[in-house]
Amino acid sequence: QVGGWNGALGNSDLSVTGPPPPPTGDTCAEAISIGAGSTAFDNSTSAVDGPSDCDSNMGTDMWFLYTATETGDATIETCGSAGTLDDTVLIVYDSAACPAAGDACLASDDDGCTTPNFNSTVTIPVTAGSSYYVQVGGWNGATGTSDLNITETPAGPTTETNCTDGLDDDGDTLVDCDDPDCAADPACAAPG
């Protein structure tokens, strides 16, 4: 009901503004496609969509569909963000389908960062061209702005590539003839 004070007459405008719509990525079905790098997000109008089996503190979540460009490891985190969301929860799933209650996650974290203290970080093995669902939200419904940062580390050699160079080529802490990868190398057959 709107009228003129004490019977005042004239033309006017009536404006009605509702709450802002939920952001893109508010549901797994609308996951935002991303790659390695930094993606800013704001979960201020988000609702929870998806399971919380891997962390019951997941709230006000956003969904991303990350596709790896390298085979190796991917570190997915909100560490280092200067945004206003200072307490995050992070869960990663494979991309076979949007997860449902009871589905296993690949990794989850709550408070793994040191800066800011209550942000989240996980590292998972990834394959180039494969995709992974990333669910990131506020702890128990916390909201604000943050950044989802993804860093890829390519896989190194899986075997010792040179058995006489004195280096740990495959990163297993064993060097040259001490590494079983080099057992077939004639240089390792002789003592010394």
Side-chain angles (χ1 to χ4, degrees), residues 87-150:
D87 198 344
T88 62
V89 178
L90 184 73
I91 304 174
V92 182
Y93 301 89
D94 70 35
S95 66
C98 283
D103 287 351
C105 61
L106 299 176
S108 68
D109 183 61
D110 179 3
D111 299 347
C113 301
T114 55
T115 306
N117 284 334
F118 301 112
N119 278 269
S120 307
T121 182
V122 299
T123 299
I124 61 168
V126 295
T127 303
S130 294
S131 296
Y132 308 86
Y133 281 118
V134 179
Q135 180 187 22
V136 60
W139 182 82
N140 281 338
T143 60
T145 59
S146 189
D147 301 296
L148 182 64
N149 302 306
I150 301 177

Side-chain angles (χ1 to χ4, degrees), residues 20-23 26 41-48 57-62 78 81-89 116 118-119 136-147:
D26 189 40
F41 69 91
D42 183 345
N43 73 335
S44 297
T45 59
S46 297
V48 177
N57 295 308
M58 175 63 75
T60 54
D61 59 4
M62 298 275 303
T78 56
S81 175
T84 59
L85 178 58
D86 60 359
D87 198 344
T88 62
V89 178
F118 301 112
N119 278 269
V136 60
W139 182 82
N140 281 338
T143 60
T145 59
S146 189
D147 301 296

Side-chain angles (χ1 to χ4, degrees), residues 33-56:
S33 294
I34 59 171
S38 185
T39 303
F41 69 91
D42 183 345
N43 73 335
S44 297
T45 59
S46 297
V48 177
D49 174 68
S52 58
D53 299 71
C54 292
D55 194 317
S56 61

